[in-house]
Amino acid sequence: MEKYSQYRDRGSGIAPFFPIPTKPSGLYLPFHVFLFLFRIPILLTVTLSYFIVLQWLPIGSLGKKASLWLILGTPGIWWIDLQIDGVKRGSLAKYHQTRLPQPGTIIASSLTSPIDALYLAAIFDPIFTASYPSTRLVHQISLFQALLRVFTEPKLEPPPNTNLCNLETLIHRHPHRAVVVFPECTTTNGRGILPFSPSLLTTPPRTKIFPISLRYSPGDITTPVPSSYVTFLWNLLSKPTHCIRVRIAEVVYNNGQTAASAHRPNSPNSPNSPNGYNSNFLDTLQDDISSSSETLLGSEEGDGITPSERRVLDKIAEALARLGRVKRVGLGVQEKLDFVRAWSRQRRR
């Protein structure tokens, strides 16, 4: 792994893009093979039934959630370890309205596996979005697209002719749904938090942002490397059971949006100024130098982000790092692309 040392974070030595090795089956290999062969036709049947038929039928939110839980239950994902900041175990009912994401709120989630999107859909029935490090705008996607994106290479910029909008517009379009944002823009192995896309900065100031961290045990069902379909399915279906560790942080508000408007006359949320976020980096260079989180923002993410906006992103990123018991790293989407190319060349040899 020495040849991949440049893809480790310089400060912590964390390698967020390396696949987590699977524990050898040993004497249990025949049992694991049996589980895989028994489960895969069931999983394919229930998954295709949902995405081809059930999701288009008027079965309501409850019916869709039940179908998604059936998909999750097929590989043995029944154990959910849920903890919420500021809520004692067994007292969630008292704080349900204030401590959990509700319609009209934003979910800022970690991204390590396709199970992330499935679980969030089964619990909250949200709108999913795709973020990019080069823009504050997001692309609304379906659950199926969210699942496929974890197996594809990340993109620095949205594809041409992509229908983009900001989060404020998306909330107004879907007032009865929560909105999921994956601010890291790509998957990791769950051992670090990548620099954020500025897309969260288009959240209205009074809208609640819930940082949510999802981690798995065993951890080998993460998909940091694209096109790892076979490995993922084997790790998912050959184990008797899996546990999801879900942590929800306290609400964060985008207090930097109002302060940022004083620095930028043309707000990026204004329809008359779609590119207003591309302000001159030299205007905020002095403030950026003094920021303790400068090393965690790439040059593309740093452009046009004011100190108050950076504090908002820092607060959400720190919450995800604390919930996941990991550290923030300085490796972003560009480093992930470079790693994937190097990894693919090595595998072809």
Side-chain angles (χ1 to χ4, degrees), residues 173-201:
R173 288 179 185 172
H174 306 278
H176 303 296
R177 306 275 294 276
V179 177
V180 171
V181 178
F182 299 111
E184 295 173 280
C185 305
T186 185
T187 55
T188 69
N189 56 17
R191 295 179 175 176
I193 300 297
L194 306 185
F196 277 8
S197 161
S199 59
L200 286 170
L201 298 176

Side-chain angles (χ1 to χ4, degrees), residues 177-234:
R177 306 275 294 276
V179 177
V180 171
V181 178
F182 299 111
E184 295 173 280
C185 305
T186 185
T187 55
T188 69
N189 56 17
R191 295 179 175 176
I193 300 297
L194 306 185
F196 277 8
S197 161
S199 59
L200 286 170
L201 298 176
T202 63
T203 305
R206 295 185 180 181
T207 299
K208 297 179 179 179
I209 303 175
F210 289 88
I212 296 183
S213 170
L214 296 97
R215 299 191 67 185
Y216 303 94
S217 180
D220 55 6
I221 60 173
T222 57
T223 54
V225 177
S227 303
S228 54
Y229 304 98
V230 176
T231 302
F232 169 74
L233 287 175
W234 168 257

Side-chain angles (χ1 to χ4, degrees), residues 13-145:
I14 295 173
F17 307 134
F18 289 12
I20 295 179
T22 302
K23 183 179 178 181
S25 298
L27 296 176
Y28 294 98
L29 180 59
F31 177 63
H32 289 173
V33 171
F34 167 77
L35 282 179
F36 178 81
L37 296 177
F38 176 76
R39 285 172 168 174
I40 192 165
I42 301 176
L43 180 65
L44 291 176
T45 300
V46 295
T47 302
L48 292 176
S49 297
Y50 175 78
F51 286 107
I52 295 177
V53 180
L54 294 179
Q55 71 168 338
W56 308 110
L57 297 179
I59 58 177
S61 177
L62 186 60
K64 292 181 179 179
K65 290 182 178 181
S67 301
L68 291 172
W69 273 112
L70 183 61
I71 297 175
L72 288 170
T74 300
I77 303 178
W78 294 109
W79 302 102
I80 310 296
D81 177 16
L82 172 64
Q83 289 188 20
I84 303 174
D85 274 1
V87 177
K88 295 181 180 179
R89 290 184 180 272
S91 60
L92 177 59
K94 300 179 181 179
Y95 306 95
H96 178 71
Q97 296 297 326
T98 58
R99 299 291 187 175
L100 289 177
Q102 301 293 323
T105 61
I106 300 293
I107 297 173
S109 174
S110 59
L111 182 58
T112 60
S113 169
I115 304 300
D116 297 340
L118 273 177
Y119 174 79
L120 294 173
I123 296 296
F124 303 111
D125 188 26
I127 299 294
F128 289 95
T129 64
S131 296
Y132 302 90
S134 59
T135 177
R136 299 188 180 212
L137 305 180
V138 297
H139 176 208
Q140 181 181 343
I141 58 177
S142 65
L143 170 59
F144 187 69
Q145 289 174 311

